[in-house]
Amino acid sequence: MNHLIAPSILAADFGNLQRDIEMLNQSEADWIHVDVMDGLFVPNISFGFPVTSVVYKHATKPLDVHLMIVDPDRYLKGFKDAGAANITVHFEACPNLHRTIQVIKELGCKAGVALNPHTPVAMLEDIITDLDLVLIMSVNPGFGGQHFIENTYKKVKEIRELADQHNPHLHIEVDGGVDKSNAAKLVSAGANVLVAGSAVFSSANQMAMISGLKHPEKLLQL
């Protein structure tokens, strides 16, 4: 599977959000990553339904919604209605994870589970066959622009091995500190979706950076 690029609008210019979404539409990005934070599960607040709906209105790429919130079950239908194609919840926030995943699928969305840096991959063994996506957090969730955690490579390899055994079509997504220094290595380890926020939106040539992350052989030119 060729890997996908999902730029995170958390790092976009919210004074020019439509402009940035239109740039993503024209770029080689595959998904648009939408980070939702509630100030409880993570120590930051980002945005909710209104901003997600605006992104959906202008986007031509699927919305990859990442819920960093407590009790996400309350809001699954709301984010589906706001335009989510994928909904990812955190393992650490879902006491009845199997039920949550089934509800996401019943809504017609792809269902994902995110793991914080301290959560072992083995926690997903009993649900791996039900998932469309696993998101490995390569920073502690809550803020953009953090430094990449090196143990991520090991976790990506572990989830790739688990997926090869039980769910070979699984999307393995990495979120946090992804840039041109680690993109190729993450893909080599088994990731097939890369979320990039600061690396894209702080770049002088955003579309070229997206293209470079999509085609790592181009990164040497950036």
Side-chain angles (χ1 to χ4, degrees):
M1 182 190 299
N2 293 327
H3 69 279
L4 309 180
I5 304 300
S8 171
I9 61 162
L10 187 65
D13 178 354
F14 276 75
N16 294 282
L17 186 57
Q18 181 178 349
R19 179 203 65 191
D20 284 358
I21 295 167
E22 289 172 351
M23 180 276 294
L24 295 177
N25 290 340
Q26 296 166 20
S27 76
E28 292 187 68
D30 299 281
W31 297 345
I32 297 177
H33 192 75
V34 180
D35 286 306
V36 178
M37 305 178 188
D38 63 357
L40 296 172
F41 182 72
V42 293
N44 197 11
I45 297 173
S46 59
F47 42 76
F49 303 134
V51 171
T52 304
S53 297
V54 168
V55 175
Y56 178 69
K57 176 181 177 182
H58 296 290
T60 60
K61 311 286 176 76
L63 300 194
D64 180 40
V65 175
H66 175 195
L67 300 182
M68 288 176 269
I69 63 177
V70 298
D71 196 7
D73 301 69
R74 296 175 296 169
Y75 302 111
L76 299 176
K77 186 179 186 302
F79 280 104
K80 161 63 178 178
D81 292 344
N86 312 332
I87 298 178
T88 296
V89 297
H90 269 261
F91 173 86
E92 302 85 2
C94 296
N96 298 291
L97 183 59
H98 183 270
R99 183 174 65 194
T100 301
I101 293 302
Q102 294 308 307
V103 171
I104 294 171
K105 290 190 167 189
E106 288 168 4
L107 289 169
C109 297
K110 290 183 178 179
V113 172
L115 296 180
N116 279 346
H118 70 279
T119 303
V121 165
M123 302 303 288
L124 296 181
E125 286 183 4
D126 291 333
I127 200 170
I128 191 74
T129 57
D130 297 304
L131 302 180
D132 300 300
L133 183 154
V134 170
L135 188 158
I136 302 296
M137 290 300 303
S138 44
V139 299
N140 288 297
F143 295 95
Q146 296 183 65
H147 292 297
F148 181 85
I149 295 173
E150 292 294 319
N151 190 55
T152 302
Y153 300 117
K154 173 177 175 288
K155 292 184 75 172
V156 170
K157 290 177 182 177
E158 290 174 352
I159 198 67
R160 171 47 62 200
E161 291 173 2
L162 192 63
D164 287 345
Q165 294 174 36
H166 302 290
N167 188 353
H169 299 293
L170 184 74
H171 287 295
I172 299 175
E173 187 170 29
V174 179
D175 183 3
V178 174
D179 59 24
K180 63 183 182 180
S181 71
N182 53 35
K185 190 173 179 180
L186 286 167
V187 172
S188 179
N192 51 31
V193 185
L194 302 180
V195 176
S198 298
V200 168
F201 288 102
S202 66
S203 174
N205 189 333
Q206 297 170 349
M207 292 182 67
M209 178 57 71
I210 293 169
S211 182
L213 294 170
K214 183 78 172 175
H215 309 282
E217 69 276 8
K218 295 182 179 180
L219 287 172
L220 296 176
Q221 304 169 20
L222 297 177

